[in-house]
Amino acid sequence: MFDLSGKAALVTGASGGIGAAIARALHGAGAKVGLSGRKVEALESLAAELGGERVAVLPGELGDAAEVEALAEKAESALGQVDILVNNAGLTRDMLFMRLSDEMWDEVIAVNLTGAFRLTRAVSRGMMRRRYGRIISVTSVVGTMGNAGQANYAASKAGLVGMTKSLAQEIATRNVTVNCVAPGFIATAMTDVLNDKIKEATLAKIPANRFGKPEDVAAAVAFLASGEAGYITGQTLHVNGGMAMI
Amino acid sequence: MSDIAERVKKIVVEHLGVDEDKVVETASFIDDLGADSLDQVELVMAFEEEFGVEIPDSAAEKIQTVKDAISFIQENVA
């Protein structure tokens, strides 16, 4: 599809369903890929699946400031440089608002938003110096629409959108683009825990009449990571089968 | 000490892509050398890297000219 030969990408949350699909897509397009995540075994098996060539396993905990700094350094030494950053890591701690604890709020914001902020700050420096970069954050349709039981998660994803638009304005002159990809309902381990009733109700709202696949999201990320997408910045590309048209 | 001045000027020339003879000590990054606010931040980061010195935001704001940068580094590099 798009040629990413000679480019190096760092993907966070690569042990998850969407993250792994993104890593496969970027690798398939010729990029060198750094796989970050918490589940080392899953990362290693993905690296093996990709053939062990042009791939590096870089475990890290995004909720920890020092680990994020270290991850940026490890990525730059393992990959040579980072041309493409995909902030994909994210977790949910769902609860109705009135029962949402400080801990559940803080944990989601720390990983989904603050972790992405710190990693982007660390990695964007080299991109600016080299006058080339692609920063893509995986958000969610709920960041735009809201979702009962997900105030923390929705806030973290909406936060990424605001961060993206601001940074996009600051570094556009350096040929670094900053965008979001907002998946709708994608069939992964994260959504598998929802009960059938919720799944059915959701499906009824999706004009495409199917749940998304991780590959649907990965294709959008690969596009925004390409050289061809160089004039697109500060945007959110929604990948949701028509469930929300924004 | 002139070594610091030379290194500062070299960074400015490389980063802003301006002629070496324009990078005189009284030159203002923004008014004379065509830098924007992002260039200023990048220059400060480049100085920090080159000289292994931390330039706090309060000091960075005051670095408006080539001479300001040289003076700060001379005073703060051991």
Side-chain angles (χ1 to χ4, degrees):
Chain A
M1 192 167 39
F2 295 102
D3 185 15
L4 300 178
S5 310
K7 299 287 185 229
L10 172 60
V11 181
T12 67
S15 49
I18 292 178
I22 291 169
R24 283 188 197 104
L26 300 180
H27 189 267
K32 214 189 282 183
V33 182
L35 310 173
S36 184
R38 289 205 259 207
K39 299 172 206 140
V40 182
E41 279 178 22
L43 297 176
E44 278 171 355
S45 87
L46 178 59
E49 180 202 314
L50 296 176
E53 290 264 321
R54 293 186 284 112
V55 62
V57 172
L58 307 163
E61 168 56 64
L62 285 183
D64 181 298
E67 283 204 32
V68 176
E69 278 296 320
L71 172 61
E73 283 171 25
K74 275 192 289 179
E76 280 172 2
S77 62
L79 306 170
Q81 60 192 49
V82 177
D83 306 296
I84 300 162
L85 170 65
V86 184
N87 289 314
N88 166 72
L91 51 84
T92 55
R93 292 288 179 267
D94 297 353
M95 182 58 67
L96 287 176
F97 192 87
M98 298 306 294
R99 302 277 298 164
L100 193 56
S101 68
D102 284 5
E103 290 72 26
M104 295 170 103
W105 176 271
D106 289 343
E107 191 182 355
V108 169
I109 297 295
V111 172
N112 299 11
L113 184 56
T114 310
F117 155 65
R118 289 188 178 126
L119 187 59
T120 302
R121 183 180 56 187
V123 168
S124 60
R125 200 167 160 167
M127 292 178 177
M128 286 168 64
R129 201 178 300 131
R130 291 187 301 273
R131 299 289 191 267
Y132 187 89
R134 297 283 182 265
I135 297 166
I136 300 148
S137 295
V138 177
T139 59
S140 167
V141 65
V142 310
T144 307
M145 307 296 288
N147 195 24
Q150 291 199 303
N152 48 359
Y153 184 73
S156 73
K157 296 303 190 179
L160 283 173
V161 174
M163 181 185 95
T164 292
K165 290 178 178 178
S166 304
L167 180 58
Q169 292 183 29
E170 289 185 23
I171 63 179
T173 55
R174 301 309 194 257
N175 200 23
V176 180
T177 68
V178 197
N179 291 290
C180 297
V181 168
F185 194 108
I186 308 298
T188 64
M190 193 195 261
T191 51
D192 198 42
V193 297
L194 299 168
N195 67 44
D196 288 346
K197 211 173 145 193
I198 293 180
K199 284 186 195 164
E200 270 171 43
T202 309
L203 189 58
K205 289 184 209 152
I206 303 175
N209 198 33
R210 68 169 176 87
F211 292 135
K213 295 175 298 198
E215 292 74 23
D216 294 322
V217 179
V221 172
F223 166 58
L224 291 173
S226 71
E228 284 85 345
Y231 199 53
I232 301 173
T233 195
Q235 307 299 318
T236 294
L237 182 47
H238 290 268
V239 182
N240 60 30
M243 153 184 200
M245 302 187 186
I246 302 122
Chain B
M1 283 303 133
S2 67
D3 169 53
I4 287 179
E6 285 313 307
R7 282 156 72 192
V8 165
K9 287 180 186 172
K10 188 161 173 276
I11 288 171
V12 174
V13 167
E14 278 174 11
H15 188 86
L16 298 178
V18 289
D19 286 341
E20 210 175 326
D21 47 346
K22 277 197 179 160
V23 187
V24 293
E25 297 206 354
T26 52
S28 151
F29 294 118
I30 289 180
D31 296 333
D32 301 315
L33 302 175
D36 61 17
S37 59
L38 196 54
D39 288 316
Q40 266 191 313
V41 173
E42 286 186 291
L43 280 172
V44 165
M45 294 195 305
F47 296 145
E48 287 180 327
E49 224 161 78
E50 170 79 16
F51 297 100
V53 58
E54 193 171 324
I55 307 177
D57 292 340
S58 54
E61 279 169 23
K62 291 180 194 133
I63 298 179
Q64 302 288 337
T65 64
V66 175
K67 188 173 192 301
D68 293 340
I70 295 168
S71 308
F72 179 90
I73 292 160
Q74 283 175 343
E75 283 160 24
N76 291 278
V77 171

